[in-house]
């Protein structure tokens, strides 16, 4: 199986922040969450608030959207052009991402990707239902899903995914549309 990070790897940009911008533009009531975002953003910048706590408070704006599944579907459909041309989907591909699982699952549905591992965020409230799927947590979640899983090829834009890269027979670093061997 091949395993891919999502944001800046397959998807050109950060899909989570693209989705937040989309919600601000299409659902103006979400702007009511700006003071909370600023407050917790400053706390995160000063290292007083964890990344997960900041993201959960950012995602609180979901409560202002009446039909989040529809908003998610519309965003994903309108942003399929962000999928990079190097990506050639195979049946057993696995996407593993720190972005909200419901968001990546919708992209996966549209792209016919069966296996998505991502951050468990409640779509209607923005609350985390587990840990942010980043760094070491990606490895734990991968092995929970595939106890004997072998990664043939791994692709990511970030060296923070080195732990997953080390599990793969071949690993690649993705920068824009270019794919390089993972640095040794």
């Amino acid at each position: 199986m091949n395993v891919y990070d999502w944001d800046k790897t397959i998807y050109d940009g950060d899909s989570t922040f693209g989705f937040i911008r989309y919600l601000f533009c299409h659902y103006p009531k979400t702007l009511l969450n700006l003071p909370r975002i600023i407050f917790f953003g400053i706390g995160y910048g000063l290292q007083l608030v964890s990344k997960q706590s900041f993201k959960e408070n950012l995602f609180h704006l979901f409560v202002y959207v009446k039909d989040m599944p529809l908003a998610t579907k519309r965003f994903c459909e309108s942003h399929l052009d962000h999928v990079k041309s190097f990506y050639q989907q195979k049946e057993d591909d696995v996407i593993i991402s720190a972005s909200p699982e419901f968001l990546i699952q919708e992209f996966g549905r549209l792209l016919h990707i069966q296996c998505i591992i991502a951050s468990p965020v409640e779509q209607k409230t923005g609350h985390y239902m587990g840990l942010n799927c980043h760094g070491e947590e990606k490895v734990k979640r991968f092995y929970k899903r595939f106890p004997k899983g072998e990664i043939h090829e791994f692709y990511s834009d970030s060296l923070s995914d080195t732990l997953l890269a080390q599990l793969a027979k071949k690993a690649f670093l993705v920068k824009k549309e270019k794919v390089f061997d993972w640095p040794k």
Side-chain angles (χ1 to χ4, degrees):
M1 83 179 67
N2 292 341
V3 177
Y4 296 83
D5 175 50
W6 177 254
D7 293 308
K8 299 179 188 163
T9 301
I10 292 176
Y11 185 89
D12 188 15
D14 186 311
S15 61
T16 300
F17 288 105
F19 185 51
I20 299 299
R21 282 190 305 273
Y22 177 88
L23 293 177
F24 283 153
C25 292
H26 292 84
Y27 301 86
K29 202 172 180 184
T30 58
L31 293 167
L32 293 171
N33 200 57
L34 273 176
R36 176 182 274 216
I37 294 169
I38 292 167
F39 179 80
F40 283 92
I42 291 169
Y44 176 64
L46 295 173
Q47 300 179 345
L48 301 172
V49 173
S50 71
K51 184 176 195 173
Q52 185 163 320
S53 179
F54 165 68
K55 288 174 89 173
E56 189 168 63
N57 281 282
L58 170 68
F59 298 156
H60 179 75
L61 63 85
F62 297 167
V63 302
Y64 298 110
V65 180
K66 284 186 181 175
D67 192 342
M68 273 296 288
L70 180 61
T72 304
K73 181 178 185 233
R74 287 180 174 165
F75 169 76
C76 293
E77 288 173 346
S78 69
H79 285 73
L80 279 177
D81 62 342
H82 284 61
V83 174
K84 295 180 180 183
S85 61
F86 90 87
Y87 177 65
Q88 301 298 311
Q89 190 261 339
K90 294 183 184 80
E91 188 175 309
D92 65 345
D93 283 351
V94 175
I95 304 298
I96 188 158
S97 174
S99 288
E101 189 172 53
F102 71 85
L103 181 64
I104 307 307
Q105 282 179 337
E106 182 61 23
F107 275 114
R109 185 187 69 76
L110 294 167
L111 296 169
H112 308 289
I113 299 168
Q114 304 290 322
C115 185
I116 306 293
I117 301 171
S119 295
V121 176
E122 211 294 311
Q123 190 173 21
K124 294 180 182 175
T125 65
H127 291 294
Y128 272 79
M129 301 173 296
L131 295 176
N132 187 31
C133 189
H134 182 265
E136 191 175 319
E137 185 63 21
K138 283 187 176 183
V139 174
K140 289 178 186 175
R141 299 275 306 280
F142 175 78
Y143 276 126
K144 184 176 182 183
R145 184 80 172 263
F146 302 101
K148 296 180 182 180
E150 289 188 16
I151 301 173
H152 182 67
E153 294 180 359
F154 175 71
Y155 297 80
S156 177
D157 70 297
S158 175
L159 295 176
S160 70
D161 286 329
T162 296
L163 293 173
L164 271 174
Q166 291 171 340
L167 300 176
K169 291 179 183 175
K170 292 188 226 169
F172 302 95
L173 193 61
V174 178
K175 295 296 176 192
K176 301 281 184 197
E177 287 283 346
K178 297 187 188 241
V179 178
F180 305 95
D181 287 337
W182 197 267
K184 302 279 182 206

